[in-house]
Amino acid sequence: GFRRLTYPHQEFLFVAEVTRMLVEKGIVNNAVSLEELHKHIPPKDQVVNAHYMNNVVDQFYETSTRFRELYFGLIKYIHREYFQYDFIFQAIPNFRFHFPVHFGEAFRNKDGVFLGQHSDTMLGHSFEEVNFWLPLTECRASNALHMSDLASGIQVIGRVFDDIGWDSDVYHTAGREHFHKRLFSDDDFQSLVVRSTKPVDMKVGEFIAFDPRCLHGPVENTEGRTRVSLDFRIIPLHRYEHAKHYRSQGKSKRKFVRGDVFFQVSASELE
């Protein structure tokens, strides 16, 4: 389902560059510890919007030349050290600033607990992708990514497919809505989802690669520390033809193809 991997974070100075960009973008006045970021920016910039993003994340859709160099270097490192095949990769990774603040009122069960679990395949992504998640701060318990094992993820997704008559088009365009319909109406199903997703405690220098069928998502951060992380996806080059017909069902509606969400050249072509 997932593999815990490492990279030489002393060579890939993501933390320093993200810290520098926070100052450059005017989010903070001076360089501060990423874990202490919530103490230096207004609460209004920490709360999440309808898409469960916040104002800080919104400013990181544009990065920097230095960050791009670091990210491409990481892609080459991952290809060289961990993969026997070529792949295409997400052109710009997603930034997550998980502040210790209250989430919105949506996606809560009858006890008021926020349930953010999902599979990206419910949001338009292909089953051919491999997900990567890389923290830039130490994370544990409520500020870590919570994730299921593969068997539980397959069981949950199978039940959603049962509900929609195994219609793949419906699943990839409205899967999350059907998942939530069952999640908040079926106590046994909800128990399965909650029971199967557990925090993945991690340190800087570690990252995970996981099957997109593994359920994952955040919970409300009660650790009193900001968690900053990157996530991105790859598609094995030999599976690209099966995966290039998909489109994001989020606000962007972008296509999961080369030259759009994915970079135009493959990992081996970066070498």
Side-chain angles (χ1 to χ4, degrees), residues 106-139:
F107 308 143
R108 292 184 182 275
N109 66 12
K110 60 187 178 183
D111 297 319
V113 178
F114 174 80
L115 301 179
Q117 298 93 332
H118 65 279
S119 162
D120 292 357
T121 60
M122 299 171 181
L123 301 168
H125 288 261
S126 164
F127 285 108
E128 309 295 340
E129 295 179 0
V130 180
N131 289 51
F132 286 78
W133 195 87
L134 184 152
L136 300 182
T137 55
E138 184 174 334
C139 52

Side-chain angles (χ1 to χ4, degrees), residues 2-257:
F2 80 92
R3 290 180 63 193
R4 185 187 297 264
L5 305 169
T6 62
Y7 71 100
H9 65 95
Q10 301 91 342
E11 298 177 24
F12 294 96
L13 300 177
F14 287 110
V15 172
E17 180 58 15
V18 170
T19 301
R20 189 197 66 79
M21 285 193 290
L22 285 164
V23 176
E24 181 180 71
K25 293 174 181 292
I27 297 169
V28 292
N29 294 325
N30 302 290
V32 299
S33 165
L34 294 182
E35 291 189 346
E36 301 291 316
L37 187 58
H38 59 282
K39 297 180 179 179
H40 299 272
I41 63 175
K44 67 179 179 63
D45 291 329
Q46 302 181 43
V47 296
V48 296
N49 58 28
H51 299 282
Y52 279 80
M53 301 297 179
N54 53 54
N55 289 344
V56 179
V57 170
D58 285 345
Q59 294 187 60
F60 273 80
Y61 289 113
E62 293 186 5
T63 58
S64 69
T65 300
R66 176 57 179 154
F67 180 86
R68 181 185 174 101
E69 291 171 351
L70 290 168
Y71 176 57
F72 283 6
L74 178 68
I75 292 295
K76 290 190 286 186
Y77 178 85
I78 290 172
H79 177 243
R80 183 171 63 249
E81 296 295 324
Y82 295 116
F83 284 85
Q84 302 299 316
Y85 53 78
D86 199 6
F87 56 82
I88 61 169
F89 57 93
Q90 194 169 320
I92 302 173
N94 300 314
F95 286 77
R96 312 290 180 184
F97 293 85
H98 188 26
F99 297 111
V101 297
H102 180 74
F103 279 178
E105 296 308 313
F107 308 143
R108 292 184 182 275
N109 66 12
K110 60 187 178 183
D111 297 319
V113 178
F114 174 80
L115 301 179
Q117 298 93 332
H118 65 279
S119 162
D120 292 357
T121 60
M122 299 171 181
L123 301 168
H125 288 261
S126 164
F127 285 108
E128 309 295 340
E129 295 179 0
V130 180
N131 289 51
F132 286 78
W133 195 87
L134 184 152
L136 300 182
T137 55
E138 184 174 334
C139 52
R140 59 181 174 82
S142 66
N143 75 359
L145 182 70
H146 285 229
M147 191 164 65
S148 78
D149 60 275
L150 179 57
S152 297
I154 290 173
Q155 184 179 0
V156 167
I157 290 171
R159 291 192 187 179
V160 176
F161 265 105
D162 283 340
D163 289 343
I164 59 177
W166 289 84
D167 188 319
S168 181
D169 290 338
V170 171
Y171 178 80
H172 284 292
T173 56
R176 192 171 193 180
E177 288 83 351
H178 288 279
F179 169 65
H180 280 159
K181 182 178 179 181
R182 178 175 278 273
L183 181 66
F184 295 109
S185 65
D186 182 333
D187 289 343
D188 290 338
F189 182 75
Q190 185 180 117
S191 178
L192 169 63
V193 170
V194 172
R195 189 174 64 249
S196 67
T197 48
K198 298 177 173 59
V200 183
D201 294 354
M202 297 181 69
K203 297 179 290 188
V204 177
E206 296 181 319
F207 65 98
I208 54 175
F210 61 96
D211 189 298
R213 293 170 293 180
C214 293
L215 299 179
H216 58 280
V219 301
E220 285 184 310
N221 181 356
T222 59
E223 302 307 307
R225 295 179 291 109
T226 297
R227 182 257 286 167
V228 181
S229 59
L230 307 174
D231 56 84
F232 56 95
R233 292 138 197 86
I234 70 167
I235 301 175
L237 201 55
H238 62 279
R239 302 301 298 174
Y240 178 61
E241 290 301 314
H242 300 273
K244 68 179 185 180
H245 309 294
Y246 295 89
R247 180 189 294 267
S248 170
Q249 298 306 307
K251 64 179 181 178
S252 73
K253 306 300 181 187
R254 292 176 64 189
K255 295 180 179 180
F256 299 126
V257 297

